[in-house]
């Protein structure tokens, strides 16, 4: 019998364990009886027993050298009962458990509350009991065998790190044998293990001050880029400047002169002044580049009011700019809230610099790189709104927190659920490959224990936050009617990618990504998934994948697509039964759906690393850029590196538009780069189903017809000019120039040569859409979000939602084949040894 006590600090107080010897059992007999015979303790199987019978049972435990019992206290007040035992000397031995002395069995009973409820107590107790078990260094695995019918404890076990293994028969119950290993426990994030002050430790003056500076800097740069602001050279701005430069810019936003006429974008640093109403003045140093790109030096930004220094304040800047930004009065609070949430996320990253430094990332794996990003979307100011998340949710689910998440699984009745898959992918193969036969058996057992037929259900993964905050509340009648049946968290640990609702399986990276609905407001949208849209997503992916696989140009560029191979959506709720509505569909119709997307990991060859293309723009806490580090690691001169990158990214995206009239949304989060020694050798495009558009009148399969969009050639060209040039390349050009790696002029010359090379090889493809036009419309992203922070574009007609601010000079205009001068040369080919040998072999429909 173990003696003594054990203490474990938690957010709800210090939890202590007192070993129950015979004397202690006598002292606590009444308490033990009250706990184990309470109606809520039905699964303890001691209902109806007397005080004497309970006392005899625990006296026997005290005398058993292989079984211990513990009274647990919270800050000295008894509140739980725990038992630990050697499985080799229990019924579990007959099921192959306990063969190793490194295993410990555990039972836990949290006492029925006798006073005010303590939020988080059960999680804290579970964590403390595991700490007790693993305090013995020999223990490597803790096992539990709860009653199959006890759904509540199954959820708590999974949150603590237990993985369901199989169904077994123990005494007179059917039990769900589950285990938690020493290795797995630390990787499962639970707020029970995070001290309360740690959750808001980043909300302190220093990290928040740094976050304010970064966001104000970005706001000045991007709103100037979008011609909402017009800073002036400091030499041209008098100390008593009375002209409101900002207001001038707002009034003249549609003119082409705008910021282009202020000075020549030569990349040299210069001092600027921005005067606003109320005696507010901002001073800063910036470099100007093509495409009206401003790189503002964050350390140089100052703010004064009537000449007196004032701290930088991103929300206050929104208020100061309110007349120019045009945010509707009813939505101003929402936008300010998204700014506050973006600041909080940035402050957290400032306070947690570990794992974000370039030296660690240059050879890192995909999951590590995704978690390390310090910036969200490079163009949007309010890019981490996540309205709906609390601080514990941020710690558990935000990509930058790198917490492992176990997705919650629901059984959704077939009569109300649609599962679609790509050609050759069956329902059985999908579930077996992504969940495993053992887990599927547990799902079936759970349904049978409720008197339900597993054949009547499909299995649907959902975000833990979505289950707790939306489905279990918003769809409560569906859960009660067993149209949706919670099965508990699955065994695999997943990690959120930069697109916060897409998850990579870190236990089995060969398994598919899972994308789930998440009803939080973030960057101009509620992040839901429509079952109606999901229904045809696999068919759209098959169509695009066949097109890519059939064209040798894509294979030569090393360009692939990651198919969304299956989708599932539930429509049995009242929100769907209500029928058609005018305007956008209710948000509740986008809350219960998911899809599976191919993982890039199985496609990687020897020596290859995958990374989100957003990483090209990553700047670490010391100011180093990952793009520069990759160029250096490649050992190539920067021009050769850039040509390799443009070949795997720009050329195939342009080819899809020009040769196939197909436009993607190829921003940084939608592209996975494959690198070898820092050199991009392939690119994989994702998020096909929701964002690809067909810009032609040729026949399409009925299930694919949704992607057709009629527009002008000029708007079609924006899929390259805006999404690639303005959305990605202008930022990369500024980084490489400012780092002294490659002048911006040379960068854009290489972009032009890349497209000219394609025009030389495929002249007929350039007849309809002109990527070499002298100017193109300046499509503005922040203006969209400012106009409607809840839904910035109509997803059914995105082109009509665009907001333009004049035009931009095209930096590749002089490279049209056939023009005179040096710009007419095609890009020199990338040496064959740097093109991935697996480019063709790994492409597949």
């Amino acid at each position: 019998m173990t003696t003594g006590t054990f203490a474990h600090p938690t957010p709800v107080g210090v939890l202590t364990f007192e070993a129950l010897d015979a004397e202690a059992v006598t002292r606590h007999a009444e308490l033990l009886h009250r706990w184990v015979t309470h109606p809520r303790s039905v699964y303890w199987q001691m209902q109806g027993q007397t005080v004497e019978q309970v006392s005899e049972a625990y006296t026997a435990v005290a005398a058993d050298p292989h079984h211990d019992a513990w009274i647990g206290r919270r800050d000295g007040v008894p509140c739980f009962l725990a038992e630990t035992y050697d499985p080799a000397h229990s019924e579990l031995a007959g099921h192959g458990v306990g063969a190793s002395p490194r295993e410990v069995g555990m039972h836990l009973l949290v006492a029925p509350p006798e006073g005010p409820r303590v939020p988080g107590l059960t999680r804290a107790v579970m964590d403390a009991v595991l700490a007790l078990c693993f305090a013995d260094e020999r223990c490597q695995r803790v096992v539990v065998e709860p009653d199959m019918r006890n759904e509540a404890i199954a959820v708590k076990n999974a949150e603590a790190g237990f993985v369901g293994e199989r169904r077994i028969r123990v005494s007179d119950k059917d039990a769900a044998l589950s285990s938690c290993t020493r290795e797995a426990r630390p990787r499962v994030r639970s707020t029970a293990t995070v001290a309360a002050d740690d959750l808001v430790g980043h909300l302190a003056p220093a990290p928040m001050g740094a976050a304010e500076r970064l966001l104000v800097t970005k706001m000045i740069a991007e709103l100037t880029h979008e011609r909402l602001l017009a800073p002036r050279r400091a030499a041209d701005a008098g100390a008593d400047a009375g002209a409101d430069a900002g207001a001038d810019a707002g009034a003249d936003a549609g003119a082409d002169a705008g910021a282009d006429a202020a000075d020549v974008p030569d990349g040299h640093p210069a001092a600027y002044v921005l005067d606003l109403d109320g005696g507010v003045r901002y001073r800063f140093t910036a470099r100007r580049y093509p495409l009206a790109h401003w790189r503002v030096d964050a350390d140089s930004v100052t703010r004064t009011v009537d000449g007196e220094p004032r701290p930088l304040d991103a929300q206050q800047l929104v208020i100061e700019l309110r007349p120019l930004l045009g945010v509707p009065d009813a939505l101003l609070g929402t936008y300010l809230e998204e700014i506050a949430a973006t600041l909080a996320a940035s402050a957290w990253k400032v306070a947690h610099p570990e794992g974000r430094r370039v030296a660690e990332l240059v050879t890192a794996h995909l999951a590590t790189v995704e978690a390390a990003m310090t910036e969200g979307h490079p163009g949007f100011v309010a890019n981490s709104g996540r309205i709906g998340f609390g601080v514990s949710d941020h710690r558990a689910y935000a990509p930058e927190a790198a917490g492992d998440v176990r997705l919650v699984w629901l059984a959704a009745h077939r009569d109300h659920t649609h599962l679609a898959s790509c050609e050759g992918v069956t329902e059985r193969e999908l579930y077996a490959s992504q969940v495993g036969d053992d887990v599927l058996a547990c799902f079936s057992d759970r349904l049978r224990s409720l008197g339900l037929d597993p054949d009547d259900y499909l299995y649907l993964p959902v975000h833990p936050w979505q289950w707790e905050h939306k489905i279990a509340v918003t769809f409560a009648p569906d859960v009660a009617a067993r149209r949706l049946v919670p099965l508990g968290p699955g065994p695999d640990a997943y990690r959120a990618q930069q697109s916060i609702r897409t998850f990579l399986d870190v236990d089995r990276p060969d398994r598919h990504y899972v994308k789930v609905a998440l009803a939080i407001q973030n960057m101009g949208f509620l992040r839901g998934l429509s079952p109606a849209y999901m229904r045809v997503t696999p068919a759209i992916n098959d169509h695009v994948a066949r097109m890519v696989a059939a064209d040798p140009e894509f294979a030569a560029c090393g360009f692939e697509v990651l198919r969304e191979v299956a989708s599932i959506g539930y429509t049995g709720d009242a929100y769907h039964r209500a029928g058609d509505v005018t305007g956008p569909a209710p948000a509740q119709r986008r809350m219960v759906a998911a899809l599976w997307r191919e993982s890039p990991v199985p496609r990687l060859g020897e020596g290859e690393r995958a990374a989100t293309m957003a990483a090209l723009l990553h700047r670490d806490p010391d100011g180093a850029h990952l793009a520069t580090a990759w160029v250096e690691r490649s050992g190539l001169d920067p021009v050769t590196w850039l040509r390799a990158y443009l070949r795997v990214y720009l050329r195939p995206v342009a080819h899809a538009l020009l040769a196939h009239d197909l436009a993607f949304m190829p921003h940084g989060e939608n592209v996975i780069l494959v690198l070898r020694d820092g050199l991009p050798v392939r690119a994989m495009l994702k998020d096909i189903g929701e964002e690809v558009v067909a810009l032609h009148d040729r026949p399409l399969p009925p299930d694919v017809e949704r992607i057709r969009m009629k527009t002008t050639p000029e708007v079609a060209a924006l899929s390259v000019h805006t999404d690639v040039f303005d959305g990605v390349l202008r930022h990369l050009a500024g980084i490489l120039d400012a780092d002294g790696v490659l002048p911006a002029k040379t960068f854009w010359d290489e972009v032009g040569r890349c497209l000219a090379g394609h025009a030389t090889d495929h002249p007929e493809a350039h007849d309809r859409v002109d990527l070499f036009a002298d100017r193109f419309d300046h499509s503005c992203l922040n203006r969209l979000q400012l106009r409607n922070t809840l839904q910035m574009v109509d997803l059914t007609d995105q082109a009509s939602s665009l907001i333009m601010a004049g035009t931009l000079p095209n930096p590749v205009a002089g490279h049209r084949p056939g023009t005179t001068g040096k710009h007419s040369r095609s890009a020199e080919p990338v040496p064959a040894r740097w093109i991935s040998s697996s480019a063709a072999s790994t492409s597949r429909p």
Side-chain angles (χ1 to χ4, degrees), residues 660-715:
H660 298 278
D661 298 304
L662 205 65
F664 299 115
M665 186 68 74
H667 57 66
E669 292 180 10
N670 275 357
V671 178
I672 300 294
L673 289 180
V674 179
L675 303 107
R676 185 185 296 121
D677 294 327
L679 182 77
V681 294
R682 284 186 287 131
M684 303 179 189
L685 188 71
K686 61 186 181 73
D687 225 354
I688 304 297
E690 288 188 279
E691 297 188 334
V692 69
V693 291
L695 305 171
H696 59 72
D697 294 325
R698 299 186 294 277
L700 289 171
D703 285 347
V704 184
E705 184 64 34
R706 186 191 79 197
I707 71 172
R708 190 188 303 278
M709 184 178 80
K710 294 182 179 179
T711 191
T712 65
E714 291 76 19
V715 173

Side-chain angles (χ1 to χ4, degrees), residues 504-682:
L504 173 71
D505 190 326
V506 293
D507 283 340
R508 289 282 305 274
D510 57 302
R511 287 180 169 171
H512 298 325
Y513 283 116
V514 179
K515 184 175 182 178
V516 296
L518 185 58
I520 60 170
Q521 183 71 25
N522 189 44
M523 214 169 70
F525 284 106
L526 185 84
R527 296 292 157 174
L529 283 178
S530 165
Y533 258 56
M534 294 301 98
R535 182 180 289 263
V536 297
T537 289
I540 293 171
N541 277 262
D542 273 340
H543 176 76
V544 173
R546 281 193 295 267
M547 180 271 290
V548 170
D551 189 330
E553 173 68 25
F554 291 115
C557 292
F559 183 77
E560 311 168 42
V561 294
L562 296 172
R563 293 181 306 163
E564 290 145 355
V565 297
S567 64
I568 186 170
Y570 171 75
T571 57
D573 49 82
Y575 314 103
H576 281 89
R577 296 197 306 272
D580 294 337
V581 295
T582 58
Q588 294 83 358
R589 293 190 186 181
R590 305 194 302 274
M591 290 186 182
V592 194
L595 61 80
W596 288 267
R597 178 190 297 135
E598 291 172 319
S599 168
V601 176
R603 302 190 186 190
L604 298 179
E606 184 177 355
E608 293 182 337
R609 293 284 187 271
T612 172
M613 194 174 72
L616 283 175
L617 311 183
H618 174 67
R619 179 182 184 272
D620 77 6
D622 300 323
H625 291 101
L626 190 50
T628 296
W630 274 334
V631 173
E632 293 172 351
R633 180 169 178 78
S634 74
L636 300 172
D637 68 89
V639 169
T640 302
W641 185 95
L642 178 61
R643 288 173 181 166
Y645 166 63
L646 296 174
R647 180 179 178 84
V648 303
Y649 170 55
L650 172 61
R651 180 164 171 138
V653 168
H655 184 74
L657 172 68
L658 299 169
H660 298 278
D661 298 304
L662 205 65
F664 299 115
M665 186 68 74
H667 57 66
E669 292 180 10
N670 275 357
V671 178
I672 300 294
L673 289 180
V674 179
L675 303 107
R676 185 185 296 121
D677 294 327
L679 182 77
V681 294
R682 284 186 287 131

